[in-house]
Amino acid sequence: MFLMSSVESDRKKCSLILTLLLAVAVSAVPSLAQKKAKNTRAAEQIVQNPRTTFDVTKIVWPSPPEIPRVAFQRMLTGQKIDWAGLQATQKPRQSWMDRLAGEQPDRQVKDVAQKIGFQMRRVYGVAADSKGNIYAADQGVGAIFIFPADDPGKMQMIKNGIDAHLPMVNGLAMDDDDHLLVTDVKLHHVLVFNPKHEPEAQFGAGDLISPAGIAIDTTNRLVYVVDTQADQVVVFDADKYTLLRRIGTGGKQHTLTSPGDFSLPTNVAVDKEGNVYVTDTLNNRVEIFDADGGFVREFGKAGDGPGHFARPKGIAVDSDGHIWVADEVQSRVQVFDKEGQLLIYLGQHGWYPGQFQALYGIAADNRNNRIITSEQFPGRVQVFRYITDAQASAEKARRESSGRKTGPEQKPADPKTQQDNAPAKAPGTSGS
């Protein structure tokens, strides 16, 4: 009797203790309504936080008081995004049939895709036409993005499978009549579009293995196509699109280091005199040839210092004949004179204007004195203004006449470097 009474008493005590613990636990947990209200306030706070803005026209190289030679203009990433629409908290109406079928997640995805449009993912070649429109070849999207000069927000596209067959676009070049030439790695050829962006011709099939960079000599009527896997630059007639010759020794499996040969070359550019500039990527150098394909000189070597290369990819020549080289690993653009002397460099790894990630292509829009770069991660294009030698000389004269200091003495054609925007200049640097 005593034993049963004791057990009953213990049960009552345990029950009382559990009840008290449960009451304490419940009181410590906020209600679902409270949690929802808290989350709603947090979301509203995120939406209402103002964006930080700054004047991108102030981003120049070198830094003041030096005379600027490069100025950031804009960044292009794809179609204009409706940010207000993305931040809208109102849920779309949904029928009971949609709820039953589970259509809501799919509808939200489609809604977001519609608001952000086509965004660039993995950009390779870039170019500009006579009107200043910018073209960017995107392998990730499978299209060529076209940004009008008057309103980059009104982007157009040449789409794979719709406007043309473009399974793996790479290099872009524009001739003097606004014909767009596009290399395609998977189809092993060059596709030609007329000024209306309609396919007009193709060439190189059977002659090219892995076409990458492309450049046009409009004076001598030549098309240069870099065949990366063949370690060669293949030269075609710009009017008949027939094969003329090859530069470099092929079939050596990227092992050659001798002058005039290549190891996985990537891009090519041509200057006003018809000289040809090629980024010899694995050899970390730039090689220069004359219009007949004869070797002239080379510059650059492996390293991470000024004037050194670590996988150079894109190359371009500006209106003054300076050579711009995009270095993928070092995330920077270096500018040289014709003798290979470093003039200035800009950029570092990062997300902001003037910084780069997986830097690949570069093009010179010499009609408008712009330099255009492309990146693969994230897919985007950056546009810079090039201040010419004549413009820099005029600015120097203006400052001298007004008694304004321009920093250490420098030649007008010598865009000196600064620590923040473009670290120290290489010894022996001179203007062209």
Side-chain angles (χ1 to χ4, degrees):
M1 185 71 178
F2 176 79
L3 181 59
M4 292 179 63
S5 177
S6 177
V7 171
E8 185 68 25
S9 176
D10 290 341
R11 286 180 178 174
K12 290 182 178 180
K13 289 180 180 179
C14 290
S15 178
L16 180 60
I17 292 171
L18 289 173
T19 302
L20 291 173
L21 290 174
L22 182 60
V24 171
V26 170
S27 64
V29 178
S31 66
L32 292 177
Q34 289 175 325
K35 291 176 70 175
K36 185 176 182 180
K38 183 178 179 181
N39 292 339
T40 301
R41 288 194 299 270
E44 290 175 350
Q45 184 66 29
I46 292 174
V47 172
Q48 292 173 2
N49 280 341
R51 292 190 180 90
T52 302
T53 59
F54 59 94
D55 187 358
V56 296
T57 63
K58 304 299 182 182
I59 305 176
V60 296
W61 294 265
S63 300
E66 303 285 353
I67 296 174
R69 300 306 305 268
V70 185
F72 177 83
Q73 283 193 327
R74 64 170 57 96
M75 187 179 296
L76 306 172
T77 59
Q79 288 180 323
K80 188 175 182 180
I81 299 175
D82 181 9
W83 294 106
L86 286 174
Q87 292 176 345
T89 57
Q90 184 178 0
K91 294 183 178 180
R93 292 185 178 181
Q94 183 184 20
S95 68
W96 67 269
M97 293 184 66
D98 288 340
R99 290 194 296 271
L100 184 63
E103 293 292 332
Q104 182 62 24
D106 182 60
R107 177 179 295 182
Q108 288 178 341
V109 170
K110 291 180 180 178
D111 185 54
V112 170
Q114 183 178 6
K115 290 173 180 176
I116 68 172
F118 282 98
Q119 300 301 307
M120 290 191 287
R121 293 172 54 191
R122 195 166 68 250
V123 190
Y124 281 75
V126 285
D129 63 20
S130 63
K131 301 179 182 63
N133 304 319
I134 293 176
Y135 297 70
D138 192 311
Q139 284 189 8
V141 175
I144 298 170
F145 287 74
I146 307 172
F147 298 93
D150 55 350
D151 186 358
K154 295 181 179 178
M155 189 207 76
Q156 305 171 28
M157 298 176 71
I158 304 175
K159 300 177 182 178
N160 176 40
I162 298 176
D163 304 300
H165 192 29
L166 303 167
M168 193 173 290
V169 291
N170 195 312
L172 299 181
M174 191 73 62
D175 72 5
D176 45 359
D177 293 323
D178 280 348
H179 285 80
L180 176 66
L181 278 66
V182 183
T183 63
D184 193 290
V185 180
K186 186 170 288 187
L187 297 181
H188 318 290
H189 71 191
V190 178
L191 187 60
V192 183
F193 291 87
N194 63 26
K196 295 181 179 179
H197 306 147
E198 301 166 337
E200 184 176 85
Q202 64 184 48
F203 64 92
D207 299 319
L208 299 168
I209 299 173
S210 180
I214 182 171
I216 304 173
D217 181 348
T218 57
T219 301
N220 297 305
R221 306 305 301 163
L222 300 172
V223 178
Y224 294 90
V225 181
V226 176
D227 196 334
T228 300
Q229 293 300 324
D231 293 327
Q232 293 180 322
V233 175
V234 187
V235 188
F236 296 89
D237 183 286
D239 299 307
K240 300 177 182 178
Y241 302 135
T242 54
L243 175 65
L244 297 178
R245 60 178 176 269
R246 297 173 183 268
I247 304 174
T249 304
K252 299 299 181 179
Q253 301 298 315
H254 324 309
T255 59
L256 297 181
T257 61
S258 52
D261 289 317
F262 309 105
S263 179
L264 280 177
T266 306
N267 276 286
V268 59
V270 182
D271 67 13
K272 297 176 182 177
E273 288 75 38
N275 297 309
V276 183
Y277 302 81
V278 183
T279 47
D280 188 9
T281 302
L282 284 191
N283 286 326
N284 293 301
R285 64 185 178 184
V286 170
E287 295 196 72
I288 307 174
F289 301 84
D290 60 27
D292 296 321
F295 177 78
V296 177
R297 72 174 66 91
E298 65 180 69
F299 65 86
K301 63 180 181 179
D304 58 3
H308 297 169
F309 294 127
R311 301 296 184 263
K313 293 291 181 69
I315 190 165
V317 181
D318 66 29
S319 56
D320 289 320
H322 303 134
I323 306 157
W324 298 63
V325 183
D327 193 299
E328 179 183 25
V329 174
Q330 299 185 113
S331 298
R332 68 186 180 191
V333 173
Q334 302 187 90
V335 188
F336 301 85
D337 65 14
K338 292 182 179 180
E339 284 68 46
Q341 293 294 314
L342 179 66
L343 301 177
I344 191 174
Y345 63 93
L346 59 142
Q348 59 184 6
H349 188 77
W351 301 86
Y352 296 105
Q355 297 179 337
F356 306 102
Q357 297 205 81
L359 178 63
Y360 184 89
I362 189 168
D365 175 14
N366 291 332
R367 291 185 179 90
N368 300 290
N369 287 316
R370 296 185 301 176
I371 299 296
I372 306 161
T373 63
S374 69
E375 300 164 70
Q376 299 177 53
F377 309 107
R380 64 182 181 180
V381 167
Q382 295 193 57
V383 185
F384 303 86
R385 183 168 69 92
Y386 166 60
I387 291 86
T388 66
D389 291 347
Q391 291 170 336
S393 296
E395 174 62 16
K396 182 180 180 182
R398 186 190 69 80
R399 292 186 183 187
E400 289 176 346
S401 64
S402 64
R404 179 181 174 187
K405 293 183 179 181
T406 60
E409 182 67 22
Q410 66 177 38
K411 297 179 182 179
D414 178 12
K416 288 184 67 181
T417 58
Q418 296 269 316
Q419 183 172 359
D420 292 337
N421 288 335
K425 186 176 66 174
T429 301
S430 61
S432 61

